[in-house]
PDB file of all heavy atoms in Angstrom:
ATOM      1  N   LEU A  23     117.856 116.223 130.565  1.00 97.00           N
ATOM      2  CA  LEU A  23     118.236 117.614 130.978  1.00 97.00           C
ATOM      3  C   LEU A  23     119.551 117.710 131.677  1.00 97.00           C
ATOM      4  O   LEU A  23     120.413 118.535 131.426  1.00 97.00           O
ATOM      5  CB  LEU A  23     117.138 118.117 131.904  1.00 97.00           C
ATOM      6  CG  LEU A  23     115.781 118.403 131.238  1.00 97.00           C
ATOM      7  CD1 LEU A  23     114.721 118.765 132.283  1.00 97.00           C
ATOM      8  CD2 LEU A  23     115.898 119.494 130.209  1.00 97.00           C
ATOM      9  N   LEU A  24     119.833 116.639 132.501  1.00 96.00           N
ATOM     10  CA  LEU A  24     121.123 116.585 133.131  1.00 96.00           C
ATOM     11  C   LEU A  24     122.266 116.387 132.075  1.00 96.00           C
ATOM     12  O   LEU A  24     123.307 117.049 132.194  1.00 96.00           O
ATOM     13  CB  LEU A  24     121.184 115.336 134.137  1.00 96.00           C
ATOM     14  CG  LEU A  24     122.413 115.134 134.852  1.00 96.00           C
ATOM     15  CD1 LEU A  24     122.652 116.258 135.939  1.00 96.00           C
ATOM     16  CD2 LEU A  24     122.423 113.809 135.525  1.00 96.00           C
ATOM     17  N   ALA A  25     122.054 115.576 131.096  1.00 96.00           N
ATOM     18  CA  ALA A  25     123.036 115.330 130.033  1.00 96.00           C
ATOM     19  C   ALA A  25     123.264 116.613 129.254  1.00 96.00           C
ATOM     20  O   ALA A  25     124.382 116.945 128.857  1.00 96.00           O
ATOM     21  CB  ALA A  25     122.536 114.218 129.113  1.00 96.00           C
ATOM     22  N   ILE A  26     122.179 117.312 128.972  1.00 97.00           N
ATOM     23  CA  ILE A  26     122.354 118.599 128.180  1.00 97.00           C
ATOM     24  C   ILE A  26     123.156 119.627 129.014  1.00 97.00           C
ATOM     25  O   ILE A  26     124.129 120.274 128.475  1.00 97.00           O
ATOM     26  CB  ILE A  26     120.984 119.154 127.809  1.00 97.00           C
ATOM     27  CG1 ILE A  26     120.299 118.256 126.723  1.00 97.00           C
ATOM     28  CG2 ILE A  26     121.118 120.536 127.298  1.00 97.00           C
ATOM     29  CD1 ILE A  26     118.911 118.534 126.453  1.00 97.00           C
ATOM     30  N   GLY A  27     122.866 119.731 130.275  1.00 96.00           N
ATOM     31  CA  GLY A  27     123.640 120.595 131.139  1.00 96.00           C
ATOM     32  C   GLY A  27     125.089 120.226 131.287  1.00 96.00           C
ATOM     33  O   GLY A  27     126.021 121.062 131.203  1.00 96.00           O
ATOM     34  N   TYR A  28     125.377 118.896 131.313  1.00 95.00           N
ATOM     35  CA  TYR A  28     126.711 118.323 131.457  1.00 95.00           C
ATOM     36  C   TYR A  28     127.440 118.566 130.126  1.00 95.00           C
ATOM     37  O   TYR A  28     128.599 118.990 130.137  1.00 95.00           O
ATOM     38  CB  TYR A  28     126.560 116.892 131.678  1.00 95.00           C
ATOM     39  CG  TYR A  28     127.874 116.136 131.828  1.00 95.00           C
ATOM     40  CD1 TYR A  28     128.575 116.178 132.997  1.00 95.00           C
ATOM     41  CD2 TYR A  28     128.402 115.406 130.827  1.00 95.00           C
ATOM     42  CE1 TYR A  28     129.822 115.543 133.158  1.00 95.00           C
ATOM     43  CE2 TYR A  28     129.606 114.742 130.925  1.00 95.00           C
ATOM     44  CZ  TYR A  28     130.256 114.836 132.119  1.00 95.00           C
ATOM     45  OH  TYR A  28     131.527 114.172 132.221  1.00 95.00           O
ATOM     46  N   LEU A  29     126.772 118.487 128.920  1.00 96.00           N
ATOM     47  CA  LEU A  29     127.366 118.757 127.707  1.00 96.00           C
ATOM     48  C   LEU A  29     127.752 120.165 127.474  1.00 96.00           C
ATOM     49  O   LEU A  29     128.811 120.511 126.949  1.00 96.00           O
ATOM     50  CB  LEU A  29     126.474 118.225 126.465  1.00 96.00           C
ATOM     51  CG  LEU A  29     126.434 116.728 126.270  1.00 96.00           C
ATOM     52  CD1 LEU A  29     125.345 116.424 125.282  1.00 96.00           C
ATOM     53  CD2 LEU A  29     127.839 116.353 125.666  1.00 96.00           C
ATOM     54  N   VAL A  30     126.851 121.074 127.966  1.00 95.00           N
ATOM     55  CA  VAL A  30     127.174 122.454 127.861  1.00 95.00           C
ATOM     56  C   VAL A  30     128.453 122.790 128.665  1.00 95.00           C
ATOM     57  O   VAL A  30     129.342 123.550 128.126  1.00 95.00           O
ATOM     58  CB  VAL A  30     125.967 123.360 128.441  1.00 95.00           C
ATOM     59  CG1 VAL A  30     126.351 124.772 128.614  1.00 95.00           C
ATOM     60  CG2 VAL A  30     124.805 123.247 127.494  1.00 95.00           C
ATOM     61  N   MET A  31     128.562 122.208 129.845  1.00 94.00           N
ATOM     62  CA  MET A  31     129.754 122.445 130.664  1.00 94.00           C
ATOM     63  C   MET A  31     130.998 121.794 130.015  1.00 94.00           C
ATOM     64  O   MET A  31     132.123 122.334 130.047  1.00 94.00           O
ATOM     65  CB  MET A  31     129.581 121.964 132.061  1.00 94.00           C
ATOM     66  CG  MET A  31     128.561 122.847 132.846  1.00 94.00           C
ATOM     67  SD  MET A  31     128.509 122.439 134.592  1.00 94.00           S
ATOM     68  CE  MET A  31     127.599 120.883 134.534  1.00 94.00           C
ATOM     69  N   ALA A  32     130.790 120.647 129.389  1.00 91.00           N
ATOM     70  CA  ALA A  32     131.956 119.902 128.794  1.00 91.00           C
ATOM     71  C   ALA A  32     132.490 120.641 127.531  1.00 91.00           C
ATOM     72  O   ALA A  32     133.709 120.730 127.334  1.00 91.00           O
ATOM     73  CB  ALA A  32     131.472 118.517 128.395  1.00 91.00           C
ATOM     74  N   PHE A  33     131.539 121.263 126.846  1.00 92.00           N
ATOM     75  CA  PHE A  33     132.025 122.084 125.677  1.00 92.00           C
ATOM     76  C   PHE A  33     132.722 123.389 126.059  1.00 92.00           C
ATOM     77  O   PHE A  33     133.376 123.955 125.253  1.00 92.00           O
ATOM     78  CB  PHE A  33     130.854 122.396 124.669  1.00 92.00           C
ATOM     79  CG  PHE A  33     130.545 121.207 123.758  1.00 92.00           C
ATOM     80  CD1 PHE A  33     129.402 120.514 123.895  1.00 92.00           C
ATOM     81  CD2 PHE A  33     131.434 120.877 122.803  1.00 92.00           C
ATOM     82  CE1 PHE A  33     129.145 119.379 123.038  1.00 92.00           C
ATOM     83  CE2 PHE A  33     131.236 119.811 121.887  1.00 92.00           C
ATOM     84  CZ  PHE A  33     130.057 119.067 122.061  1.00 92.00           C
ATOM     85  N   ARG A  34     132.549 123.793 127.281  1.00 92.00           N
ATOM     86  CA  ARG A  34     133.194 124.978 127.755  1.00 92.00           C
ATOM     87  C   ARG A  34     134.557 124.766 128.341  1.00 92.00           C
ATOM     88  O   ARG A  34     135.269 125.674 128.738  1.00 92.00           O
ATOM     89  CB  ARG A  34     132.313 125.688 128.852  1.00 92.00           C
ATOM     90  CG  ARG A  34     131.107 126.296 128.300  1.00 92.00           C
ATOM     91  CD  ARG A  34     130.319 127.010 129.385  1.00 92.00           C
ATOM     92  NE  ARG A  34     129.166 127.660 128.836  1.00 92.00           N
ATOM     93  CZ  ARG A  34     128.274 128.310 129.595  1.00 92.00           C
ATOM     94  NH1 ARG A  34     128.381 128.326 130.890  1.00 92.00           N
ATOM     95  NH2 ARG A  34     127.217 128.862 129.001  1.00 92.00           N
ATOM     96  N   LEU A  35     135.035 123.472 128.419  1.00 87.00           N
ATOM     97  CA  LEU A  35     136.328 123.178 128.953  1.00 87.00           C
ATOM     98  C   LEU A  35     137.383 123.791 128.033  1.00 87.00           C
ATOM     99  O   LEU A  35     137.177 123.780 126.805  1.00 87.00           O
ATOM    100  CB  LEU A  35     136.511 121.627 129.031  1.00 87.00           C
ATOM    101  CG  LEU A  35     135.791 120.931 130.112  1.00 87.00           C
ATOM    102  CD1 LEU A  35     135.908 119.441 129.995  1.00 87.00           C
ATOM    103  CD2 LEU A  35     136.275 121.368 131.541  1.00 87.00           C
ATOM    104  N   PRO A  36     138.494 124.273 128.642  1.00 85.00           N
ATOM    105  CA  PRO A  36     139.452 124.955 127.778  1.00 85.00           C
ATOM    106  C   PRO A  36     140.133 123.969 126.838  1.00 85.00           C
ATOM    107  O   PRO A  36     140.406 122.771 127.194  1.00 85.00           O
ATOM    108  CB  PRO A  36     140.437 125.533 128.811  1.00 85.00           C
ATOM    109  CG  PRO A  36     140.260 124.718 130.042  1.00 85.00           C
ATOM    110  CD  PRO A  36     138.798 124.295 130.022  1.00 85.00           C
ATOM    111  N   LYS A  37     140.521 124.456 125.669  1.00 83.00           N
ATOM    112  CA  LYS A  37     141.244 123.656 124.656  1.00 83.00           C
ATOM    113  C   LYS A  37     142.750 123.822 124.975  1.00 83.00           C
ATOM    114  O   LYS A  37     143.230 124.908 125.302  1.00 83.00           O
ATOM    115  CB  LYS A  37     140.964 124.115 123.246  1.00 83.00           C
ATOM    116  CG  LYS A  37     139.395 124.150 122.962  1.00 83.00           C
ATOM    117  CD  LYS A  37     138.881 122.775 122.756  1.00 83.00           C
ATOM    118  CE  LYS A  37     137.425 122.881 122.364  1.00 83.00           C
ATOM    119  NZ  LYS A  37     136.598 121.942 122.913  1.00 83.00           N
ATOM    120  N   TYR A  38     143.498 122.722 124.771  1.00 80.00           N
ATOM    121  CA  TYR A  38     144.911 122.787 124.984  1.00 80.00           C
ATOM    122  C   TYR A  38     145.639 122.471 123.669  1.00 80.00           C
ATOM    123  O   TYR A  38     145.303 121.527 122.944  1.00 80.00           O
ATOM    124  CB  TYR A  38     145.369 121.766 126.004  1.00 80.00           C
ATOM    125  CG  TYR A  38     144.781 122.037 127.429  1.00 80.00           C
ATOM    126  CD1 TYR A  38     143.738 121.397 127.927  1.00 80.00           C
ATOM    127  CD2 TYR A  38     145.394 123.066 128.170  1.00 80.00           C
ATOM    128  CE1 TYR A  38     143.229 121.679 129.148  1.00 80.00           C
ATOM    129  CE2 TYR A  38     144.902 123.330 129.416  1.00 80.00           C
ATOM    130  CZ  TYR A  38     143.768 122.615 129.837  1.00 80.00           C
ATOM    131  OH  TYR A  38     143.314 122.921 131.106  1.00 80.00           O
ATOM    132  N   PRO A  39     146.605 123.324 123.288  1.00 82.00           N
ATOM    133  CA  PRO A  39     147.338 123.011 122.081  1.00 82.00           C
ATOM    134  C   PRO A  39     148.341 121.931 122.281  1.00 82.00           C
ATOM    135  O   PRO A  39     148.719 121.648 123.389  1.00 82.00           O
ATOM    136  CB  PRO A  39     148.028 124.312 121.802  1.00 82.00           C
ATOM    137  CG  PRO A  39     148.174 125.049 123.087  1.00 82.00           C
ATOM    138  CD  PRO A  39     146.959 124.562 123.926  1.00 82.00           C
ATOM    139  N   TYR A  40     148.706 121.245 121.195  1.00 80.00           N
ATOM    140  CA  TYR A  40     149.804 120.227 121.166  1.00 80.00           C
ATOM    141  C   TYR A  40     149.402 119.049 121.916  1.00 80.00           C
ATOM    142  O   TYR A  40     150.310 118.334 122.470  1.00 80.00           O
ATOM    143  CB  TYR A  40     151.099 120.874 121.755  1.00 80.00           C
ATOM    144  CG  TYR A  40     151.436 122.144 121.226  1.00 80.00           C
ATOM    145  CD1 TYR A  40     151.517 123.294 122.065  1.00 80.00           C
ATOM    146  CD2 TYR A  40     151.738 122.381 119.877  1.00 80.00           C
ATOM    147  CE1 TYR A  40     151.787 124.544 121.624  1.00 80.00           C
ATOM    148  CE2 TYR A  40     151.983 123.712 119.394  1.00 80.00           C
ATOM    149  CZ  TYR A  40     152.052 124.727 120.297  1.00 80.00           C
ATOM    150  OH  TYR A  40     152.376 125.943 119.821  1.00 80.00           O
ATOM    151  N   VAL A  41     148.157 118.664 122.002  1.00 74.00           N
ATOM    152  CA  VAL A  41     147.776 117.356 122.616  1.00 74.00           C
ATOM    153  C   VAL A  41     146.951 116.604 121.603  1.00 74.00           C
ATOM    154  O   VAL A  41     146.137 117.174 120.910  1.00 74.00           O
ATOM    155  CB  VAL A  41     146.960 117.487 123.867  1.00 74.00           C
ATOM    156  CG1 VAL A  41     147.899 117.961 125.024  1.00 74.00           C
ATOM    157  CG2 VAL A  41     145.803 118.364 123.753  1.00 74.00           C
ATOM    158  N   PRO A  42     147.188 115.309 121.385  1.00 74.00           N
ATOM    159  CA  PRO A  42     146.443 114.567 120.394  1.00 74.00           C
ATOM    160  C   PRO A  42     144.954 114.396 120.703  1.00 74.00           C
ATOM    161  O   PRO A  42     144.105 114.528 119.875  1.00 74.00           O
ATOM    162  CB  PRO A  42     147.062 113.118 120.363  1.00 74.00           C
ATOM    163  CG  PRO A  42     147.878 113.104 121.689  1.00 74.00           C
ATOM    164  CD  PRO A  42     148.121 114.446 122.067  1.00 74.00           C
ATOM    165  N   VAL A  43     144.634 114.213 122.000  1.00 75.00           N
ATOM    166  CA  VAL A  43     143.210 114.123 122.412  1.00 75.00           C
ATOM    167  C   VAL A  43     143.008 115.095 123.465  1.00 75.00           C
ATOM    168  O   VAL A  43     143.757 115.069 124.533  1.00 75.00           O
ATOM    169  CB  VAL A  43     142.857 112.699 122.906  1.00 75.00           C
ATOM    170  CG1 VAL A  43     141.473 112.617 123.365  1.00 75.00           C
ATOM    171  CG2 VAL A  43     143.109 111.688 121.794  1.00 75.00           C
ATOM    172  N   ASP A  44     142.121 116.033 123.259  1.00 78.00           N
ATOM    173  CA  ASP A  44     141.903 117.098 124.308  1.00 78.00           C
ATOM    174  C   ASP A  44     141.231 116.574 125.489  1.00 78.00           C
ATOM    175  O   ASP A  44     140.628 115.560 125.523  1.00 78.00           O
ATOM    176  CB  ASP A  44     141.118 118.214 123.663  1.00 78.00           C
ATOM    177  CG  ASP A  44     141.518 119.633 124.209  1.00 78.00           C
ATOM    178  OD1 ASP A  44     142.296 119.679 125.199  1.00 78.00           O
ATOM    179  OD2 ASP A  44     141.101 120.613 123.731  1.00 78.00           O
ATOM    180  N   ALA A  45     141.245 117.350 126.662  1.00 74.00           N
ATOM    181  CA  ALA A  45     140.765 116.920 127.927  1.00 74.00           C
ATOM    182  C   ALA A  45     139.261 116.876 127.879  1.00 74.00           C
ATOM    183  O   ALA A  45     138.607 116.253 128.701  1.00 74.00           O
ATOM    184  CB  ALA A  45     141.214 117.866 128.997  1.00 74.00           C
ATOM    185  N   ASP A  46     138.593 117.484 126.900  1.00 81.00           N
ATOM    186  CA  ASP A  46     137.130 117.433 126.860  1.00 81.00           C
ATOM    187  C   ASP A  46     136.531 116.250 126.083  1.00 81.00           C
ATOM    188  O   ASP A  46     135.384 116.121 126.028  1.00 81.00           O
ATOM    189  CB  ASP A  46     136.571 118.799 126.286  1.00 81.00           C
ATOM    190  CG  ASP A  46     137.041 118.916 124.875  1.00 81.00           C
ATOM    191  OD1 ASP A  46     137.861 118.195 124.330  1.00 81.00           O
ATOM    192  OD2 ASP A  46     136.453 119.892 124.146  1.00 81.00           O
ATOM    193  N   ALA A  47     137.410 115.442 125.560  1.00 85.00           N
ATOM    194  CA  ALA A  47     136.953 114.357 124.730  1.00 85.00           C
ATOM    195  C   ALA A  47     136.077 113.315 125.535  1.00 85.00           C
ATOM    196  O   ALA A  47     134.980 113.016 125.138  1.00 85.00           O
ATOM    197  CB  ALA A  47     138.113 113.594 124.052  1.00 85.00           C
ATOM    198  N   VAL A  48     136.554 112.929 126.627  1.00 85.00           N
ATOM    199  CA  VAL A  48     135.834 111.951 127.412  1.00 85.00           C
ATOM    200  C   VAL A  48     134.561 112.534 128.051  1.00 85.00           C
ATOM    201  O   VAL A  48     133.536 111.874 127.953  1.00 85.00           O
ATOM    202  CB  VAL A  48     136.743 111.340 128.564  1.00 85.00           C
ATOM    203  CG1 VAL A  48     135.969 110.463 129.529  1.00 85.00           C
ATOM    204  CG2 VAL A  48     137.906 110.542 127.919  1.00 85.00           C
ATOM    205  N   PRO A  49     134.501 113.726 128.576  1.00 90.00           N
ATOM    206  CA  PRO A  49     133.285 114.256 129.078  1.00 90.00           C
ATOM    207  C   PRO A  49     132.241 114.446 127.981  1.00 90.00           C
ATOM    208  O   PRO A  49     131.044 114.196 128.237  1.00 90.00           O
ATOM    209  CB  PRO A  49     133.685 115.602 129.740  1.00 90.00           C
ATOM    210  CG  PRO A  49     135.056 115.441 130.082  1.00 90.00           C
ATOM    211  CD  PRO A  49     135.702 114.557 129.026  1.00 90.00           C
ATOM    212  N   ILE A  50     132.667 114.832 126.816  1.00 93.00           N
ATOM    213  CA  ILE A  50     131.746 114.989 125.689  1.00 93.00           C
ATOM    214  C   ILE A  50     131.137 113.632 125.301  1.00 93.00           C
ATOM    215  O   ILE A  50     129.905 113.517 125.099  1.00 93.00           O
ATOM    216  CB  ILE A  50     132.348 115.758 124.510  1.00 93.00           C
ATOM    217  CG1 ILE A  50     132.635 117.202 124.951  1.00 93.00           C
ATOM    218  CG2 ILE A  50     131.548 115.639 123.288  1.00 93.00           C
ATOM    219  CD1 ILE A  50     133.406 118.011 123.948  1.00 93.00           C
TER     220      ILE A  50
END
Side-chain angles (χ1 to χ4, degrees):
L23 292 173
L24 180 73
I26 290 169
Y28 182 80
L29 281 169
V30 167
M31 290 187 289
F33 277 111
R34 289 184 177 175
L35 288 172
K37 307 286 185 220
Y38 295 102
Y40 314 116
V41 292
V43 178
D44 212 352
D46 65 348
V48 173
I50 289 172

